[in-house]
């Protein structure tokens, strides 16, 4: 490598690259959670002497390669470096290839410490700490500085050709991005404002909330400025995260439009895809004894990785093609290439959930990453789901029935603790004072018992027992961080049986209501994060709930559309409140038929539920059979959803009935006369139920805006998203009917897009 093409690698990444070998083996093995691992390291450190140093930052140089990392501990009194690994079960069961990797890391730290302190030799200790028993298994050796230097240089030499190619790629990539030009003749109205705002956010290392109208080209308008900022800001990676498949496909298309692809921009693009969508052998388990693509995976990975690095657009098909050439698993090849790609496109969970791969890689490798979060109005609901967990008593009974005898006692203790909670919460729905401590302890002990069992008898568990085990682990993990950002509730369907005994079908949930404490560190780690959507107001709602930094910028991008393009009518004489639903069915059907009669074409009609949808669709068919109509069905397959959309053909005529907030309420692009109007027969408010009422109370307590944060803002966001399907380009014309008297209220009208001109209520 030349000085201009220097490269920095983490100790862990260096060793993983050079030391892994043999089979891919994803059989479940008991391993501590991240929090348990941190706690275990702290326990080990607390047992050491007063001069012991934990988390020692070290770095070293080999030619133009910089290697850096943190040794778990150094005891100057014993001249001893420790590498601590937490585990469960017998230390003898830790596979040899894992031990080989651990020793490689420790020996690299040994070399770096010898160089830093000028030592001729050092003692090394590999410490395996059993989370369950607290027992330490310590493996020791003493090495002189010359041996450790040779070991370090050997690893670096084996990594050097890859590092050289990566450094050269980075130089070529940054040079090309520095010359990158916008791919179209000019910016669309509003698109330049968005692009400039995103660029400034990256230049200033700030987060940005960008409310930008649908149809201005948000994907290209946000991706282009981030790529331009990469060389100037030293950005390593860009993560484009979207809630749904169409958003991810738009990002891949935008990357191709900007020049990524064969013979174009030297930018490695990777589509992150769920394992079940990439698995070539769904009938086999992920280990070498079962799946031929797992057998010898790490032996064939270097060639596959080298091949994949030459493919600039690693979408699902690209990954499959490379994996097939080398007989490796395409999903785990994709996981490996996440380390070496420049732009990664995937779902929110890859960075934001508790075990997020991209967050962990960014943290471990010190990446400077910029994030683009598409359709970010979905983030609040998705993040709440990521940090919630529930566990059901019915599943506990099934797990106990299928458990080996050695585990039944621990599961019976869970049942007794659960009964105690049930007796104190007799209502069908009840918020508990906190997470039941006895139940958490029993779940923790049961999970530990299952882990110990698996350590002793590796192999598949009964499916219900395995599911319960995973649910218990998730529940216990969230219980450790329980606070005002969450609530714990118990819900049951039946109350009491005929004998007066409490039914056993209760479900206990740790329900996250404010994701901010979990997401805040993820925003803080990123170089810059831009959240964009057509519905991101009011900005404080998202900042409060998502935990965005205090200096987050806000931009409301000017719309390219004008009021004359969209007629917005309010049907204020109709109420869609639940108690008025039956009376509203006929008037809504008549309104749809009247509008269709005035201007035939393709329309979407949105309702708050399938039942409401079915009632109006049936009435339209009965009273106005001349109006063609089709319906969204419950649990449609991807092919069925596509067939629904294909009914909206250019020049077509008819009304598609859909549920607000469902598959057709956002992310659907039907420009021109493929869609000329929409009816929104609901305010979109979430259902009033015990859970949402508890959410309202918590939002009121924390932010003084209980109703708005729980009901109004989420509802109006869905309404605006649905109406946004109508006008997609500057030449589109259409009509929207907002069907409910509440749309006439000034406070509701103020939440609508500024470019709309709502007519006088009709």
């Amino acid at each position: 490598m030349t000085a201009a093409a220097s490269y920095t690698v983490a100790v862990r990444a260096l060793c993983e690259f050079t030391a892994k070998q043999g089979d891919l083996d994803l059989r479940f093995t008991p391993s501590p959670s991240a929090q348990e691992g941190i706690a275990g390291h702290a326990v080990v450190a607390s047992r050491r002497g007063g001069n012991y140093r934990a988390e020692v930052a070290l770095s070293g140089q080999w030619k133009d390669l910089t290697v850096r990392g943190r040794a778990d501990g150094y005891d100057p009194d014993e001249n001893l470096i420790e590498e601590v690994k937490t585990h469960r079960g017998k230390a003898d069961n830790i596979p040899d290839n894992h031990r080989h990797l651990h020793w490689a890391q420790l020996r690299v730290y040994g070399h770096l410490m010898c160089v830093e302190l000028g030592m001729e030799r050092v003692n090394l200790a590999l410490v395996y700490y059993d989370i369950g028993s607290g027992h330490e298994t310590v493996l020791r050796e003493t090495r002189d500085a010359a041996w450790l230097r040779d070991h370090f240089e050997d690893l670096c030499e084996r990594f050097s050709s890859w590092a050289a190619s990566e450094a050269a790629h980075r130089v070529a990539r940054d040079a090309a991005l520095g010359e990158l030009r916008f791919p179209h003749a000019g910016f669309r109205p509003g698109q330049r404002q968005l692009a400039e705002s995103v660029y400034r956010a990256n230049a200033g290392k700030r987060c940005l909330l960008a409310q930008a109208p649908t149809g201005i080209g948000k994907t290209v308008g946000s991706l282009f400025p981030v790529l331009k900022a990469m060389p100037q800001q030293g950005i390593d990676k860009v993560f484009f995260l979207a809630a749904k498949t169409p958003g991810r496909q738009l990002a891949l298309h935008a990357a191709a439009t900007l020049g990524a692809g064969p013979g174009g921009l030297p930018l490695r693009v990777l589509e992150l895809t769920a394992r079940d969508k990439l698995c070539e052998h769904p009938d086999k388990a992920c280990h070498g004894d079962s799946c031929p693509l797992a057998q010898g995976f790490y032996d064939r990975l270097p060639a596959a990785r080298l091949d994949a690095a030459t493919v600039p657009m690693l979408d699902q098909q690209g990954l499959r093609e490379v994996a097939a050439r080398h007989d490796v698993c395409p999903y785990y090849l994709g996981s490996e290439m996440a380390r070496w790609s420049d732009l990664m496109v995937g779902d929110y969970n890859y960075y934001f959930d508790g075990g997020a791969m991209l967050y962990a890689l960014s943290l471990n490798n010190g990446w400077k990453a910029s994030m683009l979060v598409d359709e970010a109005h979905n983030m609040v609901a998705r993040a709440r789901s990521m940090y919630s967990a529930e566990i059901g008593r019915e599943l506990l009974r099934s797990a106990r029935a299928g458990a080996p005898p050695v585990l039944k006692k621990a599961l019976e203790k869970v049942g007794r603790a659960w009964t105690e909670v049930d007796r104190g919460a007799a209502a069908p729905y009840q918020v508990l004072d906190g997470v039941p401590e006895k139940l958490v302890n029993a779940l923790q002990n049961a999970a530990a018992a299952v882990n110990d069992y698996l350590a002793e008898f590796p192999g598949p568990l009964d499916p219900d027992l395995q599911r319960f085990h995973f649910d218990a682990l998730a529940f216990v993990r969230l219980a450790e961080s329980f606070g005002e950002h969450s609530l714990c509730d118990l819900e049951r369907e039946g109350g009491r049986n005929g004998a007066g005994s409490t039914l056993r079908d209760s479900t206990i949930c740790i329900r996250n209501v404010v994701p901010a404490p979990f997401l805040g560190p993820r925003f803080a780690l990123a170089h810059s994060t831009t959240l964009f959507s057509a519905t991101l107001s009011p900005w404080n709602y998202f900042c409060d709930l998502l935990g965005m930094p205090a200096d987050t910028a806000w931009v409301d991008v000017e719309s390219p559309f004008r009021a004359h393009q969209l007629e917005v009518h309010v049907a204020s004489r109709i109420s869609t409140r639940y108690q008025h639903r039956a009376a509203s069915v006929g008037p809504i059907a008549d309104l749809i038929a009247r509008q269709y009669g005035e201007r035939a074409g393709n329309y979407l009609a949105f309702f708050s539920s399938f039942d409401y949808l079915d009632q109006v669709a049936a009435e339209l068919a009965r009273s106005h059979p001349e109006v063609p109509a089709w319906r969204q069905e419950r649990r449609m397959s991807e092919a069925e959803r596509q067939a629904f959309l294909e009914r909206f053909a250019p020049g077509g005529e008819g009304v598609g009935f859909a549920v607000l907030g469902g598959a057709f309420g956002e992310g659907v692009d039907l420009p021109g006369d493929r869609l000329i109007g929409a009816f929104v027969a609901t305010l979109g408010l979430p259902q009033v139920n015990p859970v949402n009422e508890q959410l309202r109370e918590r939002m009121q307590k924390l932010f003084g805006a209980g109703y708005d944060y729980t009901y109004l803002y989420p509802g109006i966001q869905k309404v605006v998203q649905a109406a946004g399907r109508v006008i997609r380009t500057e030449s589109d014309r259409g009509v929207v009917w907002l069907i409910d008297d509440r749309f006439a209220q000034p406070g509701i009208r103020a939440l609508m897009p500024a470019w709309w001109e709502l007519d006088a209520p009709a």
Side-chain angles (χ1 to χ4, degrees), residues 120-161:
E120 294 185 359
R121 61 194 308 107
V122 68
N123 298 313
L124 305 174
L126 189 54
V127 180
Y128 289 108
Y129 176 78
D130 187 344
I131 289 291
S133 67
H135 176 71
E136 294 181 30
T137 301
V138 181
L139 309 177
R140 287 177 175 258
E141 68 176 22
T142 299
R143 295 288 182 181
D144 60 50
W147 189 96
L148 292 171
R149 183 189 65 244
D150 291 343
H151 172 264
F152 174 74
E153 291 181 352
D154 176 59
L155 295 183
C156 291
E157 181 68 46
R158 288 155 61 191
F159 184 70
S160 63
S161 61

Side-chain angles (χ1 to χ4, degrees), residues 214 246 604 645 662-671 675 724-726 728:
T214 298
L604 269 168
L645 291 174
F664 307 111
E666 60 179 79
V668 171
D669 194 21
L670 300 169
L675 184 69
R725 302 310 98 204
V726 179
R728 309 296 294 175

Side-chain angles (χ1 to χ4, degrees), residues 62 109 128 140 145 189 200 215 225 234 266 402 459 521 588 595 609 624 645 684 706 761:
W62 182 82
Y109 288 128
Y128 289 108
R140 287 177 175 258
R200 285 195 297 269
I588 293 174
Q595 174 63 44
S609 68
H624 303 282
L645 291 174

